[in-house]
Amino acid sequence: MMYIRQELRRALLSKVGLITILSSTLLVFIGMFGPLKWITGGGISIMYTFLQGYNSGTASFLVITFPIVACIPFASSYRTDIQTGFHNYVQLRMKKRQYMSIRLAVNALVGGVAIAIGPFISFCFLILVKLLFNVPMLRAEERLEPVMFFNSIGVSSPILMILIIIVIMFCCGAIFATLGLGVSTIIQNKYISIFVPFIYLIISATVLAKIHPSLNAMALYDVDLMNGSIGQTFLYGTLLGLFGITIFLIGGTAKFEEKYKE
């Protein structure tokens, strides 16, 4: 447990980790900037403002860059451990399988936090705005696609909708961070390995989606694309995460043993 706490601090409280968290938060608030200027006038709801920062606004950048944000804090950490020789120290403290399991778990957790922390902070901020200025959570005349999606599955509370979205974003970040970790054991350049999940997202949204809509990895982030295919989206995310784990276990084990023999 002590090693896990050390790794979490290493990931989240490092310079790169803090910059990533700040970036995630700024990206959401930039998307909400327009509605926030008018929110106290009574014509804009909390839900509408949140969605502008999440996936709907013209300045919503997190919806595009989330694979990179998820991978930056820790996805290349395994390669760094191998290159610096830190794995030799780990070999003296724990078994290889235990080390790799911790690496997978911490990386997935950090990737999820990196994506979800910004929207969660913005949600807390918007709740404060609601209490101070009596802003409605949702206006009856607003026909928002995510709201209609949640209503179709029996969720009517806007607060619960936002919390579910944040949980989905956390899971999405964990999946793409795992994919990035696996790729980092194959590609020599850590910067390229961080961008590979982003490249896959673009290919899935432009090429694979034409083959079958369920192959669009953007659905793992955007609830608007889940409508009618929740089970398929869950299966897709599971398979993509397992693919990242498999690559990591195969490539990571090979790298570990190769360097240990040296």
Side-chain angles (χ1 to χ4, degrees):
M1 288 300 295
M2 182 177 297
Y3 179 67
I4 295 177
R5 290 196 296 269
Q6 290 174 349
E7 289 295 273
L8 286 173
R9 286 198 297 268
R10 174 187 172 191
L12 295 174
L13 301 182
S14 66
K15 183 178 179 179
V16 174
L18 292 175
I19 290 175
T20 304
I21 291 173
L22 178 62
S23 299
S24 173
T25 305
L26 287 177
L27 287 172
V28 177
F29 274 91
I30 288 172
M32 298 192 310
F33 181 73
L36 281 175
K37 293 189 298 183
W38 312 104
I39 194 170
T40 57
I44 297 176
S45 70
I46 295 296
M47 189 69 182
Y48 175 84
T49 306
F50 177 84
L51 291 176
Q52 291 298 295
Y54 162 61
N55 72 342
S56 303
T58 55
S60 296
F61 297 115
L62 187 60
V63 67
I64 301 173
T65 61
F66 72 84
I68 300 174
V69 175
C71 291
I72 285 177
F74 218 52
S76 63
S77 61
Y78 185 77
R79 173 164 293 280
T80 301
D81 286 355
I82 296 294
Q83 292 174 338
T84 60
F86 181 73
H87 69 294
N88 292 323
Y89 169 70
V90 173
Q91 182 76 5
L92 299 175
R93 298 185 60 189
M94 65 184 71
K95 295 181 179 179
K96 178 181 62 179
R97 181 178 298 178
Q98 183 182 8
Y99 164 71
M100 297 185 73
S101 298
I102 292 174
R103 177 67 63 212
L104 275 168
V106 172
N107 176 69
L109 180 60
V110 171
V113 170
I115 298 300
I117 188 68
F120 180 75
I121 291 174
S122 70
F123 168 66
C124 294
F125 174 79
L126 289 173
I127 291 298
L128 180 61
V129 170
K130 170 180 172 53
L131 295 176
L132 292 176
F133 301 100
N134 197 30
V135 180
M137 285 299 303
L138 181 66
R139 300 181 65 85
E141 64 271 19
E142 291 175 332
R143 302 295 294 173
L144 306 174
E145 288 188 20
V147 173
M148 291 187 287
F149 163 72
F150 281 115
N151 287 337
S152 70
I153 61 174
V155 178
S156 58
S157 167
I159 292 180
L160 183 57
M161 293 178 192
I162 293 176
L163 291 176
I164 291 175
I165 287 175
I166 292 174
V167 171
I168 290 173
M169 295 175 75
F170 175 87
C171 295
C172 178
I175 291 170
F176 275 87
T178 301
L179 181 61
L181 180 65
V183 170
S184 72
T185 65
I186 300 174
I187 298 178
Q188 297 297 317
N189 190 302
K190 69 177 183 178
Y191 300 104
I192 296 178
S193 65
I194 288 175
F195 274 89
V196 167
F198 172 74
I199 295 171
Y200 175 77
L201 176 71
I202 299 301
I203 293 174
S204 72
T206 56
V207 179
L208 299 181
K210 293 181 180 179
I211 300 174
H212 195 287
S214 295
L215 295 178
N216 186 355
M218 188 66 77
L220 300 174
Y221 174 100
D222 192 346
V223 296
D224 289 350
L225 300 176
M226 291 184 189
N227 198 3
S229 60
I230 298 177
Q232 293 178 346
T233 301
F234 177 80
L235 178 61
Y236 190 13
T238 301
L239 292 176
L240 196 60
L242 290 175
F243 178 71
I245 292 173
T246 302
I247 296 176
F248 174 70
L249 293 178
I250 295 175
T253 298
K255 291 290 182 183
F256 194 100
E257 293 178 348
E258 175 186 336
K259 286 291 183 177
Y260 185 67
K261 289 178 182 179
E262 296 176 1

